[in-house]
Amino acid sequence: MSILSQFDLTGKTALVTGCDTGLGMGMATALAEAGASIVGASIVEDYSAVKNAVEATGQKFTYHKVDISDRPSLYAFINKVKAENKKIDILVNNAGIIMRKPAAEHPDEYWDKVIDINLNAQFILGREFGKDMIANGGGKIIFTCSLLSFQGGINVPGYTASKSAVAGLVRAFGNEWGSKGVCVNGIAPGYIATNNTQALREDPERSASILSRIPAGRWGVPEDFKGPVVFLASPASDYVNGTVLFVDGGWMAR
């Protein structure tokens, strides 16, 4: 097998949550460019941008509108995806939310919503599609982690707690499922120009402080994640398991 053929995803089906914008759309498009059909999920009504991007590659795109913080809706979505697809070969657990307020003022409502979306739903999706991957003899699961899987952050205690736990799920699932052909890994984005970082980018002082620490000297963009996600979704990473890959312009090296 040639090295480039190891990155070929032809005939695979990938489920990407939070696919409608930013990193999710970038990763869905990259997987399609590598040959995978895409099942996308998000909470928005308008998914035309990602639909057009995926279909421009010649691959099939199917969309599901779902609120993954609502447990009955989440299970209904899972059942529908399983009914409509022979199997899911690749799961990109990307959907997430960030809610900002200092820890001493962080309300239960913020905490509960962030934990439900960023952690509880991620566990359930990983478990439900992971068990099928085990039965099918293999698969790839990729979680979107964060620099705050490893750092404390400011004004985002729920987000930090959830992303720290997601990095733990990467290791826990990876330990149990590696011998069963299921590789479970994470991608930890640095400071990326997406909706989640708009408030930081619009604060001149914070933006300058952040950029001063990034060796690459710039905010990341969704295109920076195309190579990493295809690598982790493909046979090229079959001996990579239980790890979190930093895509951060060198932030964590400082």
Side-chain angles (χ1 to χ4, degrees), residues 3-51:
I3 184 60
L4 290 181
S5 68
Q6 292 185 42
F7 294 87
D8 186 7
L9 300 178
T10 300
K12 303 293 186 182
T13 300
L15 169 59
V16 182
T17 66
C19 70
D20 60 295
T21 188
L23 300 187
M25 184 166 74
M27 291 191 288
T29 305
L31 296 172
E33 289 173 351
S37 298
I38 306 299
V39 178
S42 191
I43 197 169
V44 302
E45 296 283 354
D46 182 7
Y47 57 93
S48 58
V50 63
K51 178 179 185 293

Side-chain angles (χ1 to χ4, degrees), residues 217-238:
R218 65 173 176 86
W219 290 81
V221 293
E223 287 73 19
D224 291 320
F225 293 81
K226 287 188 168 185
V229 76
V230 170
F231 168 64
L232 291 177
S234 72
S237 63
D238 280 351

Side-chain angles (χ1 to χ4, degrees), residues 151 211-216 250-254:
Q151 299 179 319
L211 286 173
S212 71
R213 175 172 165 162
I214 301 173
W251 173 278
M252 289 297 287
R254 291 295 282 269

Side-chain angles (χ1 to χ4, degrees), residues 42-43 65-74 77 113 117:
S42 191
I43 197 169
K65 181 180 182 295
V66 58
D67 178 0
I68 62 173
S69 69
D70 179 74
R71 198 66 58 88
S73 296
L74 176 60
F77 158 69
K113 185 169 185 177
I117 293 173

